[in-house]
Amino acid sequence: QVQLVESGGGLVQAGDSLRLSCTASGRTFRSLVLGWFRQAPGKEREFVTRILQSGDATCYADSVKGRFTISRDNVKNTAYLQMDSLKPEDTAVYYCVADLTPRPCASGRESRYFGSWGQGTQVNVSS
């Protein structure tokens, strides 16, 4: 079982940047596929991004491509989500996720493919 703890959420203005962190424990960090989902009020949970164990294979939702960057530090056991040029529609609870099985970008975006979830961190972007 993997324990995931997110941090870094908050209230920012449109155009600002924010960096979320996700610290993992309970499993060898290097063995984990890591990712982020988000859920806005009244909407379904949606895939944002994921990074494979190697750290050089990333995948993004079209809505965040070019603005968000996922990375990982295998020494600090931490994943990061750098969010730039934030928009009000990015407002959501952001969840860090993890799993052991690497999947292709196109077909591996469903929430059921990630067995471990953090408690979420709130991001609010004002216009």
Side-chain angles (χ1 to χ4, degrees):
Q1 186 72 15
V2 179
Q3 290 78 45
L4 303 169
V5 179
E6 304 99 332
S7 61
L11 173 64
V12 297
Q13 293 187 332
D16 285 350
S17 296
L18 203 60
R19 189 177 79 159
L20 305 183
S21 299
C22 172
T23 301
S25 61
R27 276 277 191 178
T28 302
F29 188 78
R30 294 176 184 270
S31 69
L32 298 174
V33 176
L34 298 161
W36 294 88
F37 279 71
R38 68 185 182 185
Q39 187 166 22
K43 295 188 177 181
E44 293 187 354
R45 195 168 294 182
E46 65 171 350
F47 171 85
V48 176
T49 182
R50 72 98 173 98
I51 185 168
L52 296 184
Q53 293 91 334
S54 62
D56 59 358
T58 58
C59 178
Y60 296 92
D62 288 344
S63 59
V64 307
K65 198 174 296 182
R67 300 188 299 120
F68 289 13
T69 304
I70 188 172
S71 62
R72 62 190 296 160
D73 186 329
N74 288 342
V75 174
K76 296 183 178 179
N77 288 358
T78 301
Y80 302 98
L81 181 62
Q82 177 66 40
M83 304 186 293
D84 298 321
S85 302
L86 282 162
K87 304 175 181 180
E89 51 263 43
D90 294 319
T91 294
V93 177
Y94 283 73
Y95 297 92
C96 180
V97 297
D99 203 76
L100 295 174
T101 304
R103 292 181 173 87
C105 182
S107 59
R109 302 180 177 214
E110 297 181 34
S111 59
R112 61 189 175 99
Y113 290 141
F114 294 90
S116 298
W117 291 69
Q119 81 288 351
T121 185
Q122 180 71 49
V123 172
N124 291 304
V125 184
S126 64
S127 57

